[in-house]
PDB file of all heavy atoms in Angstrom:
ATOM      1  N   ILE A   8       7.428  -1.342   0.967  1.00  0.00           N
ATOM      2  CA  ILE A   8       6.181  -1.636   1.668  1.00  0.00           C
ATOM      3  C   ILE A   8       6.438  -1.937   3.139  1.00  0.00           C
ATOM      4  O   ILE A   8       5.613  -1.633   3.997  1.00  0.00           O
ATOM      5  CB  ILE A   8       5.455  -2.836   1.013  1.00  0.00           C
ATOM      6  CG1 ILE A   8       5.001  -2.464  -0.397  1.00  0.00           C
ATOM      7  CG2 ILE A   8       4.258  -3.291   1.849  1.00  0.00           C
ATOM      8  CD1 ILE A   8       4.385  -3.606  -1.176  1.00  0.00           C
ATOM      9  N   GLU A  53       4.608   6.374  -4.504  1.00  0.00           N
ATOM     10  CA  GLU A  53       4.391   6.852  -5.873  1.00  0.00           C
ATOM     11  C   GLU A  53       5.674   6.701  -6.689  1.00  0.00           C
ATOM     12  O   GLU A  53       5.634   6.266  -7.843  1.00  0.00           O
ATOM     13  CB  GLU A  53       3.936   8.305  -5.850  1.00  0.00           C
ATOM     14  CG  GLU A  53       3.581   8.846  -7.210  1.00  0.00           C
ATOM     15  CD  GLU A  53       3.121  10.298  -7.168  1.00  0.00           C
ATOM     16  OE1 GLU A  53       3.628  11.078  -6.325  1.00  0.00           O
ATOM     17  OE2 GLU A  53       2.262  10.654  -7.992  1.00  0.00           O
ATOM     18  N   ASP A  54       6.813   7.033  -6.090  1.00  0.00           N
ATOM     19  CA  ASP A  54       8.099   6.894  -6.786  1.00  0.00           C
ATOM     20  C   ASP A  54       8.367   5.437  -7.177  1.00  0.00           C
ATOM     21  O   ASP A  54       8.994   5.169  -8.202  1.00  0.00           O
ATOM     22  CB  ASP A  54       9.253   7.411  -5.922  1.00  0.00           C
ATOM     23  CG  ASP A  54       9.251   8.936  -5.793  1.00  0.00           C
ATOM     24  OD1 ASP A  54       8.516   9.609  -6.549  1.00  0.00           O
ATOM     25  OD2 ASP A  54       9.985   9.440  -4.910  1.00  0.00           O
ATOM     26  N   ALA A  55       7.878   4.498  -6.370  1.00  0.00           N
ATOM     27  CA  ALA A  55       8.041   3.071  -6.666  1.00  0.00           C
ATOM     28  C   ALA A  55       6.987   2.569  -7.652  1.00  0.00           C
ATOM     29  O   ALA A  55       7.047   1.425  -8.091  1.00  0.00           O
ATOM     30  CB  ALA A  55       7.956   2.262  -5.367  1.00  0.00           C
ATOM     31  N   GLY A  56       6.021   3.420  -7.989  1.00  0.00           N
ATOM     32  CA  GLY A  56       4.961   3.021  -8.909  1.00  0.00           C
ATOM     33  C   GLY A  56       3.841   2.241  -8.244  1.00  0.00           C
ATOM     34  O   GLY A  56       3.029   1.620  -8.921  1.00  0.00           O
ATOM     35  N   TYR A  57       3.777   2.289  -6.911  1.00  0.00           N
ATOM     36  CA  TYR A  57       2.783   1.511  -6.171  1.00  0.00           C
ATOM     37  C   TYR A  57       1.459   2.251  -5.972  1.00  0.00           C
ATOM     38  O   TYR A  57       0.435   1.607  -5.750  1.00  0.00           O
ATOM     39  CB  TYR A  57       3.330   1.091  -4.814  1.00  0.00           C
ATOM     40  CG  TYR A  57       4.457   0.086  -4.882  1.00  0.00           C
ATOM     41  CD1 TYR A  57       5.125  -0.313  -3.738  1.00  0.00           C
ATOM     42  CD2 TYR A  57       4.873  -0.486  -6.091  1.00  0.00           C
ATOM     43  CE1 TYR A  57       6.154  -1.241  -3.789  1.00  0.00           C
ATOM     44  CE2 TYR A  57       5.906  -1.401  -6.146  1.00  0.00           C
ATOM     45  CZ  TYR A  57       6.550  -1.771  -4.989  1.00  0.00           C
ATOM     46  OH  TYR A  57       7.564  -2.692  -5.041  1.00  0.00           O
ATOM     47  N   VAL A  58       1.495   3.558  -5.980  1.00  0.00           N
ATOM     48  CA  VAL A  58       0.252   4.326  -5.877  1.00  0.00           C
ATOM     49  C   VAL A  58       0.197   5.353  -6.992  1.00  0.00           C
ATOM     50  O   VAL A  58       1.222   5.761  -7.537  1.00  0.00           O
ATOM     51  CB  VAL A  58       0.078   5.043  -4.505  1.00  0.00           C
ATOM     52  CG1 VAL A  58       0.036   4.066  -3.355  1.00  0.00           C
ATOM     53  CG2 VAL A  58       1.125   6.099  -4.289  1.00  0.00           C
ATOM     54  N   GLU A  59      -1.023   5.739  -7.314  1.00  0.00           N
ATOM     55  CA  GLU A  59      -1.245   6.801  -8.293  1.00  0.00           C
ATOM     56  C   GLU A  59      -2.013   7.904  -7.580  1.00  0.00           C
ATOM     57  O   GLU A  59      -3.008   7.636  -6.894  1.00  0.00           O
ATOM     58  CB  GLU A  59      -2.026   6.268  -9.482  1.00  0.00           C
ATOM     59  CG  GLU A  59      -1.243   5.225 -10.261  1.00  0.00           C
ATOM     60  CD  GLU A  59      -2.052   4.546 -11.352  1.00  0.00           C
ATOM     61  OE1 GLU A  59      -3.264   4.826 -11.483  1.00  0.00           O
ATOM     62  OE2 GLU A  59      -1.473   3.702 -12.059  1.00  0.00           O
ATOM     63  N   LEU A  75      -4.300   2.522  -5.303  1.00  0.00           N
ATOM     64  CA  LEU A  75      -3.231   1.547  -5.450  1.00  0.00           C
ATOM     65  C   LEU A  75      -3.150   1.180  -6.927  1.00  0.00           C
ATOM     66  O   LEU A  75      -4.159   0.842  -7.546  1.00  0.00           O
ATOM     67  CB  LEU A  75      -3.563   0.314  -4.598  1.00  0.00           C
ATOM     68  CG  LEU A  75      -2.450  -0.665  -4.291  1.00  0.00           C
ATOM     69  CD1 LEU A  75      -1.305   0.018  -3.548  1.00  0.00           C
ATOM     70  CD2 LEU A  75      -2.990  -1.816  -3.444  1.00  0.00           C
ATOM     71  N   SER A  76      -1.960   1.268  -7.500  1.00  0.00           N
ATOM     72  CA  SER A  76      -1.783   0.906  -8.908  1.00  0.00           C
ATOM     73  C   SER A  76      -1.785  -0.614  -9.041  1.00  0.00           C
ATOM     74  O   SER A  76      -1.680  -1.349  -8.050  1.00  0.00           O
ATOM     75  CB  SER A  76      -0.459   1.465  -9.425  1.00  0.00           C
ATOM     76  OG  SER A  76       0.623   0.800  -8.796  1.00  0.00           O
ATOM     77  N   ARG A  77      -1.874  -1.090 -10.270  1.00  0.00           N
ATOM     78  CA  ARG A  77      -1.787  -2.544 -10.498  1.00  0.00           C
ATOM     79  C   ARG A  77      -0.449  -3.078  -9.990  1.00  0.00           C
ATOM     80  O   ARG A  77      -0.379  -4.137  -9.384  1.00  0.00           O
ATOM     81  CB  ARG A  77      -1.947  -2.866 -11.981  1.00  0.00           C
ATOM     82  CG  ARG A  77      -3.358  -2.673 -12.478  1.00  0.00           C
ATOM     83  CD  ARG A  77      -3.478  -3.119 -13.933  1.00  0.00           C
ATOM     84  NE  ARG A  77      -4.760  -2.720 -14.473  1.00  0.00           N
ATOM     85  CZ  ARG A  77      -5.827  -3.493 -14.474  1.00  0.00           C
ATOM     86  NH1 ARG A  77      -5.765  -4.695 -13.968  1.00  0.00           N
ATOM     87  NH2 ARG A  77      -6.969  -3.061 -14.983  1.00  0.00           N
ATOM     88  N   ARG A  78       0.604  -2.334 -10.254  1.00  0.00           N
ATOM     89  CA  ARG A  78       1.931  -2.724  -9.783  1.00  0.00           C
ATOM     90  C   ARG A  78       1.961  -2.776  -8.258  1.00  0.00           C
ATOM     91  O   ARG A  78       2.544  -3.679  -7.665  1.00  0.00           O
ATOM     92  CB  ARG A  78       2.968  -1.739 -10.311  1.00  0.00           C
ATOM     93  CG  ARG A  78       4.364  -2.053  -9.905  1.00  0.00           C
ATOM     94  CD  ARG A  78       5.328  -1.093 -10.543  1.00  0.00           C
ATOM     95  NE  ARG A  78       6.682  -1.376 -10.107  1.00  0.00           N
ATOM     96  CZ  ARG A  78       7.722  -0.684 -10.471  1.00  0.00           C
ATOM     97  NH1 ARG A  78       7.586   0.333 -11.285  1.00  0.00           N
ATOM     98  NH2 ARG A  78       8.904  -0.987 -10.025  1.00  0.00           N
ATOM     99  N   GLY A  79       1.315  -1.805  -7.613  1.00  0.00           N
ATOM    100  CA  GLY A  79       1.256  -1.769  -6.153  1.00  0.00           C
ATOM    101  C   GLY A  79       0.456  -2.926  -5.588  1.00  0.00           C
ATOM    102  O   GLY A  79       0.832  -3.524  -4.571  1.00  0.00           O
ATOM    103  N   ARG A  80      -0.640  -3.256  -6.253  1.00  0.00           N
ATOM    104  CA  ARG A  80      -1.480  -4.376  -5.800  1.00  0.00           C
ATOM    105  C   ARG A  80      -0.689  -5.690  -5.900  1.00  0.00           C
ATOM    106  O   ARG A  80      -0.692  -6.507  -4.992  1.00  0.00           O
ATOM    107  CB  ARG A  80      -2.764  -4.439  -6.628  1.00  0.00           C
ATOM    108  CG  ARG A  80      -3.848  -5.314  -6.031  1.00  0.00           C
ATOM    109  CD  ARG A  80      -5.189  -5.085  -6.703  1.00  0.00           C
ATOM    110  NE  ARG A  80      -5.752  -3.779  -6.497  1.00  0.00           N
ATOM    111  CZ  ARG A  80      -6.455  -3.408  -5.412  1.00  0.00           C
ATOM    112  NH1 ARG A  80      -6.665  -4.283  -4.451  1.00  0.00           N
ATOM    113  NH2 ARG A  80      -6.947  -2.209  -5.302  1.00  0.00           N
ATOM    114  N   LEU A  81       0.022  -5.868  -7.004  1.00  0.00           N
ATOM    115  CA  LEU A  81       0.849  -7.058  -7.185  1.00  0.00           C
ATOM    116  C   LEU A  81       1.969  -7.102  -6.139  1.00  0.00           C
ATOM    117  O   LEU A  81       2.237  -8.154  -5.544  1.00  0.00           O
ATOM    118  CB  LEU A  81       1.436  -7.110  -8.596  1.00  0.00           C
ATOM    119  CG  LEU A  81       2.364  -8.277  -8.894  1.00  0.00           C
ATOM    120  CD1 LEU A  81       1.648  -9.612  -8.745  1.00  0.00           C
ATOM    121  CD2 LEU A  81       2.939  -8.143 -10.299  1.00  0.00           C
ATOM    122  N   ALA A  82       2.616  -5.970  -5.912  1.00  0.00           N
ATOM    123  CA  ALA A  82       3.697  -5.917  -4.920  1.00  0.00           C
ATOM    124  C   ALA A  82       3.169  -6.257  -3.526  1.00  0.00           C
ATOM    125  O   ALA A  82       3.829  -6.969  -2.763  1.00  0.00           O
ATOM    126  CB  ALA A  82       4.340  -4.527  -4.920  1.00  0.00           C
ATOM    127  N   PHE A  83       1.957  -5.792  -3.199  1.00  0.00           N
ATOM    128  CA  PHE A  83       1.382  -6.100  -1.898  1.00  0.00           C
ATOM    129  C   PHE A  83       1.021  -7.578  -1.792  1.00  0.00           C
ATOM    130  O   PHE A  83       1.229  -8.201  -0.745  1.00  0.00           O
ATOM    131  CB  PHE A  83       0.156  -5.219  -1.626  1.00  0.00           C
ATOM    132  CG  PHE A  83      -0.404  -5.398  -0.240  1.00  0.00           C
ATOM    133  CD1 PHE A  83       0.358  -5.091   0.878  1.00  0.00           C
ATOM    134  CD2 PHE A  83      -1.690  -5.861  -0.057  1.00  0.00           C
ATOM    135  CE1 PHE A  83      -0.159  -5.255   2.159  1.00  0.00           C
ATOM    136  CE2 PHE A  83      -2.218  -6.032   1.216  1.00  0.00           C
ATOM    137  CZ  PHE A  83      -1.449  -5.729   2.332  1.00  0.00           C
ATOM    138  N   GLU A  84       0.506  -8.156  -2.871  1.00  0.00           N
ATOM    139  CA  GLU A  84       0.208  -9.591  -2.873  1.00  0.00           C
ATOM    140  C   GLU A  84       1.496 -10.399  -2.677  1.00  0.00           C
ATOM    141  O   GLU A  84       1.517 -11.365  -1.913  1.00  0.00           O
ATOM    142  CB  GLU A  84      -0.483  -9.991  -4.173  1.00  0.00           C
ATOM    143  CG  GLU A  84      -1.908  -9.493  -4.276  1.00  0.00           C
ATOM    144  CD  GLU A  84      -2.509  -9.664  -5.667  1.00  0.00           C
ATOM    145  OE1 GLU A  84      -1.863 -10.281  -6.556  1.00  0.00           O
ATOM    146  OE2 GLU A  84      -3.633  -9.173  -5.876  1.00  0.00           O
ATOM    147  N   GLU A  85       2.566 -10.008  -3.348  1.00  0.00           N
ATOM    148  CA  GLU A  85       3.846 -10.697  -3.193  1.00  0.00           C
ATOM    149  C   GLU A  85       4.394 -10.517  -1.781  1.00  0.00           C
ATOM    150  O   GLU A  85       4.951 -11.448  -1.189  1.00  0.00           O
ATOM    151  CB  GLU A  85       4.852 -10.188  -4.234  1.00  0.00           C
ATOM    152  CG  GLU A  85       4.514 -10.618  -5.641  1.00  0.00           C
ATOM    153  CD  GLU A  85       5.389  -9.963  -6.702  1.00  0.00           C
ATOM    154  OE1 GLU A  85       6.194  -9.056  -6.367  1.00  0.00           O
ATOM    155  OE2 GLU A  85       5.263 -10.354  -7.870  1.00  0.00           O
TER     156      GLU A  85
END
Side-chain angles (χ1 to χ4, degrees):
I8 294 175
E53 185 180 34
D54 288 347
Y57 292 175
V58 299
E59 295 173 356
L75 196 59
S76 68
R77 288 185 190 267
R78 181 176 178 182
R80 195 167 294 277
L81 178 61
F83 186 62
E84 288 169 6
E85 290 172 353

